[in-house]
Amino acid sequence: MYPIGLTSIAEYLERQGLRVKIINIANRMLMDENFDVEKKLKKIKTRAFGIDLHWLPHAHGSIELAKIVKKLHPETPMVFGGLSATYYHKELIEYPFIDFVMRGDSTEKLMLLLINHLKNGTHHLGGIPNLTWKDGDTPVYNPLSHVPDSLDEFDIPGYRYTIKSVFKYKNFLDPLPYNGWLQYPNTAILTAKGCTQGCLICGGSKQSYKDNCNRKVLAKRSPAKLVEDILFIQRFSRAPIFILHDIRQAGKDYVDEFFERLSKINLKNELVFELFQYANEEFFAKIEKVVPKYSVELTLETHDENIRRYNGKFNCTNAKVIETLQSALKHSCKKIDIFFMVGIPHQDYQSALDNVDFCEKIHNACGGDKRLSYFVAPLAPFLDPASPAFEDPEKYGYKKFCHTIEDHRKAITQPSWKYMLSFETDYMTRDEIVKSTYESARNLNTFKLKYDLVDKKTHDEVNEKITRSLEYIEKIDEIVAFPEQEKNQQLALLSKEMEEVNKYSICGKHELKWEVKKHYANVFSLTAIGIELLVEDILINVKQKWNAYNKRVGEASKSRT
């Protein structure tokens, strides 16, 4: 899934009269194993290419893709952007096939300045904020000074752009957000950029945004715009709408205005709310009053109150955690996803296993309510760059194996996620993080069967995959000691077997979906909206050209006078 910022950049540039295409290369490859990447890219004629490096697991793929593009189009500029690109901009600009890195979390206007420079040289590169570029072979780092405090000027996520582009560029597959979107067209709305929280392991924490993006205050999307986004999404989908980030970050007045505006529309979609901290009954009562169907997602990370307090996420007592869940269930919450994590600061092996005992405590305290769903996963494969734990690992109990972008790229090529892990902690080695993850997953699977949260078939499938995963990890441990040629041959033989095991290896296939049944995007609505937006786009372009013509006529008249 590509970052939603790509859609807002595309929408903004098209609003200014440019033509922008988003091609989800990874998804095209997943949809068709015979998809020819080079053939697809070779046909493209464009002023510039842009590749996202927002999440660090894309470090290998993004850079390899940039190499391919530059080989096919050596004279066309290559631009990188995203949170990880921002962090590693000095390293990225050293690659001969990367010409620009656009830093920061809101680069729509800056991309317009850059493209206008590439088209007609109207802006000097040294005057474009946030830009890293090359003056000959010398890297230049312009000040990171463009940090807008409002998101209302931009359409983010840009669903209007995405739908319109299907018809404008006559390609249905390229801009799809992720594999299976047409069957499960889950959507999201963005409340803010930046964060008010200080979680130690998060590269999107308050301190991380300040250090990496120079963002000192939350950039908000107004409640009016959020509701406008919801109304638009309802036109083509009945799937759940995820509200990104805890909406309470923006303050009580913001929350009240959002719910007041929601009360005035005919809300048809389920909304999914994210919680960063304890929520009282009053909050859920407000939701229940105006949202016919809603779910909640929260990342507890651990049962241990002291570790939560230290790490910053849900830094309240376990009694308050349970009270939050009980309040949500009391006020008609449809589903609650609760996530635990392995590999966080100060967590030892036993503490990781004890998370499952806390799941049982929660479940019993909430009357065995089946609306509760529980998950456990490792902090993998990497520590987030810019997170406090990454920046000062010794202080927070980490030992880092990956420092540079190349370190992370090499790690991704390793044969199992154990060898990809970019860290150990003072309390657990890589081996222990891996083993405690699978043991926790197995215990959680047993707990889910005991309370009828999964059926016997799902339980057995997950157990089988966990067993096989551990066997493969042992095999890989043996193989990595072989000479290079033999090692590569043996790993190649294993890779096909492992492919199926790696899918949904620690939970059931449908557990993470908010609703098991397929929603399907409404193709008729998508078509109607696409045609409507295309006509609107044509009229805007005609108006812009007419205004430009009148301006030239006026200037010519003044000149003659």
Side-chain angles (χ1 to χ4, degrees):
M1 181 176 174
Y2 52 80
I4 59 176
L6 282 187
T7 63
S8 64
I9 292 171
E11 189 279 331
Y12 183 78
L13 294 181
E14 291 229 330
R15 214 191 309 162
Q16 312 306 318
L18 300 174
R19 290 166 57 85
V20 186
K21 294 181 185 179
I22 291 177
I23 305 173
N24 192 343
I25 291 290
N27 190 41
R28 293 301 307 267
M29 292 167 70
L30 285 170
M31 295 175 74
D32 178 7
E33 64 180 20
N34 296 316
F35 178 74
D36 191 327
V37 173
E38 294 204 15
K39 182 180 178 182
K40 174 74 175 179
L41 295 173
K42 193 171 185 179
K43 295 177 181 177
I44 298 173
K45 298 187 187 309
T46 183
R47 185 75 61 177
F49 288 95
I51 294 180
D52 64 278
L53 179 49
H54 193 65
W55 300 293
L56 204 55
H58 296 168
H60 193 276
S62 62
I63 290 172
E64 292 303 312
L65 187 61
K67 284 182 187 176
I68 295 171
V69 172
K70 204 66 171 179
K71 180 185 74 176
L72 298 171
H73 303 277
E75 302 304 317
T76 307
M78 170 61 67
V79 188
F80 264 57
L83 288 183
S84 295
T86 297
Y87 187 87
Y88 283 115
H89 71 106
K90 290 184 178 180
E91 292 182 43
L92 290 171
I93 202 65
E94 295 290 346
Y95 290 109
F97 43 85
I98 297 177
D99 303 289
F100 303 100
V101 182
M102 190 63 78
R103 290 134 53 211
D105 62 23
S106 303
T107 62
E108 291 84 356
K109 290 187 173 182
L110 307 182
M111 284 300 297
L112 179 62
L113 295 178
L114 178 59
I115 299 303
N116 283 339
H117 166 82
L118 297 176
K119 282 178 66 180
N120 47 40
T122 52
H123 297 278
H124 184 265
L125 290 174
I128 301 177
N130 302 25
L131 184 66
T132 294
W133 54 289
K134 294 170 183 171
D135 186 0
D137 293 329
T138 304
V140 181
Y141 317 116
N142 294 352
L144 207 168
S145 57
H146 180 78
V147 191
D149 57 9
S150 172
L151 304 179
D152 278 4
E153 188 176 353
F154 312 111
D155 193 9
I156 178 167
Y159 293 114
R160 292 168 181 82
Y161 159 80
T162 307
I163 294 171
K164 180 182 69 177
S165 70
V166 169
F167 297 88
K168 184 174 182 177
Y169 302 118
K170 302 178 181 64
N171 194 315
F172 190 64
L173 300 177
D174 283 350
L176 288 177
Y178 54 84
N179 197 21
W181 186 84
L182 290 170
Q183 291 75 35
Y184 296 97
N186 291 328
T187 53
I189 57 175
L190 184 69
T191 58
K193 288 186 178 181
C195 192
T196 60
Q197 308 296 300
C199 303
L200 299 180
I201 56 174
C202 182
S205 68
K206 182 178 180 179
Q207 188 62 45
S208 304
Y209 262 102
K210 183 179 178 182
D211 294 343
N212 195 31
C213 298
N214 199 24
R215 176 162 297 289
K216 297 165 186 173
V217 297
L218 206 65
K220 293 174 281 191
R221 190 158 171 80
S222 69
K225 284 291 185 180
L226 296 186
V227 173
E228 186 181 301
D229 292 342
I230 289 170
L231 287 170
F232 183 78
I233 290 169
Q234 287 189 166
R235 292 180 62 187
F236 65 85
S237 170
R238 286 290 176 268
I241 301 172
F242 192 100
I243 300 177
L244 294 170
H245 309 313
D246 192 323
I247 195 169
R248 298 172 297 163
Q249 284 193 115
K252 184 177 182 301
D253 291 344
Y254 183 97
V255 173
D256 289 344
E257 182 185 346
F258 176 63
F259 288 140
E260 173 64 24
R261 289 180 179 275
L262 274 184
S263 70
K264 295 176 180 177
I265 69 169
N266 180 18
L267 181 59
K268 300 173 183 177
N269 292 49
E270 175 185 353
L271 299 186
V272 182
F273 293 89
E274 190 174 9
L275 299 183
F276 291 165
Q277 300 291 352
Y278 160 79
N280 60 23
E281 189 170 341
E282 180 187 358
F283 177 69
F284 295 109
K286 286 180 181 179
I287 299 176
E288 181 184 38
K289 186 176 180 181
V290 298
V291 184
K293 184 189 292 186
Y294 75 96
S295 294
V296 167
E297 186 173 283
L298 53 99
T299 304
L300 278 183
E301 293 181 353
T302 174
H303 72 285
D304 190 311
E305 297 173 359
N306 293 326
I307 295 178
R308 286 205 309 271
R309 194 169 291 113
Y310 181 72
N311 192 36
K313 183 71 71 70
F314 255 86
N315 52 357
C316 61
T317 65
N318 285 341
K320 285 289 187 183
V321 170
I322 291 171
E323 184 183 316
T324 298
L325 300 172
Q326 289 172 334
S327 296
L329 295 170
K330 177 181 176 182
H331 290 281
S332 309
C333 183
K334 178 175 168 288
K335 186 175 188 286
I336 304 177
D337 287 345
I338 307 169
F339 293 91
F340 294 90
M341 194 172 285
V342 178
I344 60 177
H346 290 191
Q347 179 190 58
D348 61 21
Y349 196 106
Q350 187 57 47
S351 181
L353 300 186
D354 289 344
N355 286 331
V356 180
D357 294 334
F358 187 51
C359 292
E360 189 157 20
K361 184 176 180 180
I362 289 172
H363 208 66
N364 290 329
C366 294
D369 201 307
K370 291 185 179 180
R371 289 176 287 172
L372 294 164
S373 297
Y374 309 88
F375 304 93
V376 63
L379 173 60
F382 304 139
L383 272 181
D384 279 358
S387 67
F390 187 90
E391 297 305 305
D392 198 348
E394 289 186 13
K395 179 178 178 180
Y396 298 112
Y398 281 91
K399 176 184 177 183
K400 278 197 310 188
F401 301 124
C402 295
H403 303 268
T404 66
I405 195 79
E406 278 298 318
D407 290 341
H408 290 92
R409 276 166 42 75
K410 288 173 184 173
I412 291 174
T413 66
Q414 295 303 306
S416 79
W417 70 270
K418 182 177 94 172
Y419 292 98
M420 291 182 197
L421 274 178
S422 68
F423 67 91
E424 288 181 343
T425 74
D426 290 349
Y427 292 80
M428 282 199 278
T429 64
R430 273 174 165 172
D431 277 311
E432 289 171 327
I433 290 170
V434 170
K435 289 177 182 176
S436 61
T437 294
Y438 285 119
E439 190 172 346
S440 296
R442 182 178 276 142
N443 292 348
L444 186 62
N445 196 37
T446 301
F447 154 78
K448 288 177 180 179
L449 182 65
K450 176 181 176 180
Y451 288 96
D452 199 25
L453 299 175
V454 296
D455 56 31
K456 186 69 165 57
K457 180 184 176 185
T458 299
H459 167 270
D460 292 348
E461 286 175 353
V462 171
N463 259 11
E464 170 67 13
K465 286 192 173 185
I466 290 172
T467 300
R468 290 176 66 192
S469 294
L470 287 167
E471 289 172 357
Y472 282 124
I473 283 173
E474 287 184 14
K475 286 182 182 179
I476 289 168
D477 286 344
E478 295 172 8
I479 291 172
V480 292
F482 293 172
E484 192 67 20
Q485 185 174 351
E486 186 180 356
K487 178 179 79 173
N488 292 336
Q489 289 172 345
Q490 292 297 322
L491 289 174
L493 291 173
L494 272 184
S495 64
K496 279 292 179 186
E497 294 178 46
M498 291 167 59
E499 195 170 302
E500 189 59 34
V501 174
N502 281 335
K503 296 176 182 176
Y504 311 103
S505 61
I506 54 176
C507 69
K509 182 175 181 179
H510 295 293
E511 288 187 73
L512 279 166
K513 294 186 173 72
W514 286 308
E515 198 160 320
V516 173
K517 72 174 185 177
K518 293 183 180 181
H519 289 277
Y520 292 102
N522 189 317
V523 176
F524 296 107
S525 296
L526 285 170
T527 303
I529 294 168
I531 294 171
E532 172 191 314
L533 292 171
L534 200 56
V535 170
E536 183 182 294
D537 191 50
I538 292 169
L539 293 174
I540 289 171
N541 285 333
V542 169
K543 184 178 179 181
Q544 286 174 340
K545 288 178 181 178
W546 178 250
N547 289 340
Y549 170 76
N550 284 334
K551 185 178 178 181
R552 288 197 302 272
V553 169
E555 288 172 351
S557 177
K558 285 180 184 178
S559 177
R560 285 195 300 274
T561 302

